[in-house]
Amino acid sequence: MRTALTELTGVRHPVVQTGMGWVAGPRLVSAVANAGGLGILASATMTLDGLAAAIREVRERTEAPFGVNLRADAADAAQRIDLLIQEGVRVASFALAPRPELIARLKDAGVVVIPSVGARRHAEKVAAWGADAVLVQGGEGGGHTGPVATTLLLPQVLDAVDIPVIAAGGFFDGRGLAAALAYGAAGVAMGTRFLLTSDSPVPDAVKRVYLGMADTVVTRRVDGMPHRVLRTDLVDALERSGRVTGLARALRNAARFKRVSGTSWRTMVRDGLAMRHGKELSWSQVLMAANTPMLLKAAMVDGRPDLGVLASGQAVAVIDDLPSCRDLIDRVVAEATAIMTALPGLTTG
């Protein structure tokens, strides 16, 4: 299945696995790449040396193209970009809009730049700055999300830019891929669906929690920004907690993240300043952002969903199996192909 996305990135199928922190490591990314999709390595929770090691591990597992998701506001963003260029990584994706000079540096080195956006105006901005494609996520998506549904946001962005658009938020099967292509998108991106595969490193016990739940909620109690997660007892407790309790928890998690990541306090403060400026956040929101990596790690790595949050898109309600990435992508592409093959046979009255 060839689209503008496959032509741009060199993958065989227009299916992207999103860069989920603590989940999208070398094992999952290489499995997606070997299955013909675009795997995206999540680097926000990695040190620079850790990212270098992860890239090398992906290279050992696959010869197919893959990408790395970067934080544009990270203090060492320039060094990470240099690393991607040195290692010949095919795609650089961003959760926030990278500065024009970062886009230019990557493009000059032949790296494909794909920022993620949640609004039409953001898509217009990064397209004007030279992004090669844009990933647009509607409110159905997991993690940080916006209020507009994919079915409304996607056509707005498609009308606004002339670069390939990848649709995200609520996709899980071939029907979604066919629908996105019919809208004019160049492919789809899926997070929760790839999290719930046999190749995902998430502990099996945590995967069973996902498979047994259908209720998600958008909360600001994790890091001060809208965050779609599974509704659990912990999330309900966070919703009930006061501001002082939340800030105290964030301070503890900031110290824990410092130990886990090897990040210095100075670097964390610099990242916080950049985050506050880029997103126009209050200081309390910046402090609360320390909650995100540690609450996710508790569930996704330590296998303690009772102590952490479970980022999830609304698609979790209709997922009931744990296929391999190869079986999943083959199934999605086959379903989409069958649907699109049948469409010309439809007639109007």
Side-chain angles (χ1 to χ4, degrees):
M1 184 176 287
R2 299 176 66 133
T3 71
L5 173 63
T6 63
E7 294 295 315
L8 181 65
T9 61
V11 299
R12 291 186 288 116
H13 301 304
V15 179
V16 179
Q17 160 255 304
T18 59
M20 300 167 281
W22 305 114
V23 177
R27 173 178 156 185
L28 180 60
V29 170
S30 59
V32 171
N34 284 327
L38 178 61
I40 303 292
L41 192 66
S43 74
T45 55
M46 299 178 183
T47 63
L48 184 61
D49 289 342
L51 175 57
I55 291 172
R56 288 193 295 270
E57 185 176 346
V58 175
R59 285 265 185 248
E60 292 169 357
R61 292 170 174 261
T62 184
E63 296 181 354
F66 65 96
V68 172
N69 182 260
L70 300 168
R71 269 187 53 193
D73 59 354
D76 61 351
Q79 294 99 305
R80 290 175 184 252
I81 285 172
D82 288 342
L83 175 63
L84 265 61
I85 294 171
Q86 293 165 11
E87 294 291 336
V89 173
R90 181 59 179 154
V91 174
S93 74
F94 292 87
L96 298 174
R99 299 187 302 276
E101 57 267 29
L102 294 184
I103 294 177
R105 172 85 174 97
L106 287 161
K107 287 173 64 71
D108 287 346
V111 182
V112 175
V113 180
I114 307 179
S116 297
V117 301
R120 173 177 177 162
R121 66 183 184 278
H122 297 153
E124 292 173 330
K125 178 171 67 174
V126 296
W129 288 352
D132 295 293
V134 65
L135 188 154
V136 53
Q137 177 176 304
E140 301 94 325
H144 292 124
T145 193
V148 182
T150 304
T151 50
L152 299 176
L153 183 60
L154 178 59
Q156 291 180 38
V157 173
L158 285 164
D159 289 344
V161 301
D162 59 2
I163 57 177
V165 176
I166 304 161
F171 295 98
F172 62 96
D173 65 1
R175 292 171 296 181
L177 175 56
L181 296 176
Y183 268 105
V188 298
M190 304 186 295
T192 306
R193 177 65 276 194
F194 278 112
L195 184 154
L196 294 174
T197 60
S198 60
D199 295 304
S200 164
V202 173
D204 289 342
V206 177
K207 292 177 185 176
R208 288 194 293 271
V209 172
Y210 273 91
L211 293 178
M213 301 206 43
D215 191 14
T216 65
V217 61
V218 176
T219 178
R220 290 180 177 270
R221 290 295 187 174
V222 176
D223 59 8
M225 294 173 284
H227 203 115
R228 186 175 294 283
V229 298
L230 289 182
R231 183 184 289 278
T232 62
D233 290 343
L234 175 63
V235 172
D236 287 341
L238 290 175
E239 287 285 289
R240 294 191 301 268
S241 65
R243 183 178 179 184
V244 173
T245 301
L247 292 179
R249 181 186 297 108
L251 278 171
R252 293 194 299 270
N253 281 330
R256 292 171 59 206
F257 183 68
K258 176 181 179 295
R259 292 194 298 270
V260 169
S261 66
T263 304
S264 68
W265 283 114
R266 180 178 180 181
T267 298
M268 290 179 70
V269 170
R270 277 166 41 194
D271 284 352
L273 287 169
M275 183 186 302
R276 183 171 187 264
H277 174 73
K279 300 179 185 176
E280 298 182 351
L281 304 179
S282 67
W283 278 114
S284 62
Q285 286 175 311
V286 170
L287 180 57
M288 285 179 69
N291 280 320
T292 303
M294 299 317 299
L295 289 177
L296 289 172
K297 178 180 180 295
M300 304 303 180
V301 178
D302 302 335
R304 293 295 305 271
D306 56 321
L307 300 178
V309 296
L310 301 165
S312 176
Q314 290 182 307
V316 70
V318 290
I319 296 174
D320 59 7
D321 63 349
L322 298 171
S324 68
C325 289
R326 183 174 297 279
D327 287 345
L328 173 62
I329 292 177
D330 286 349
R331 185 170 75 195
V332 167
V333 172
E335 288 174 353
T337 301
I339 291 169
M340 291 186 294
T341 301
L343 286 177
L346 298 177
T347 60
T348 58

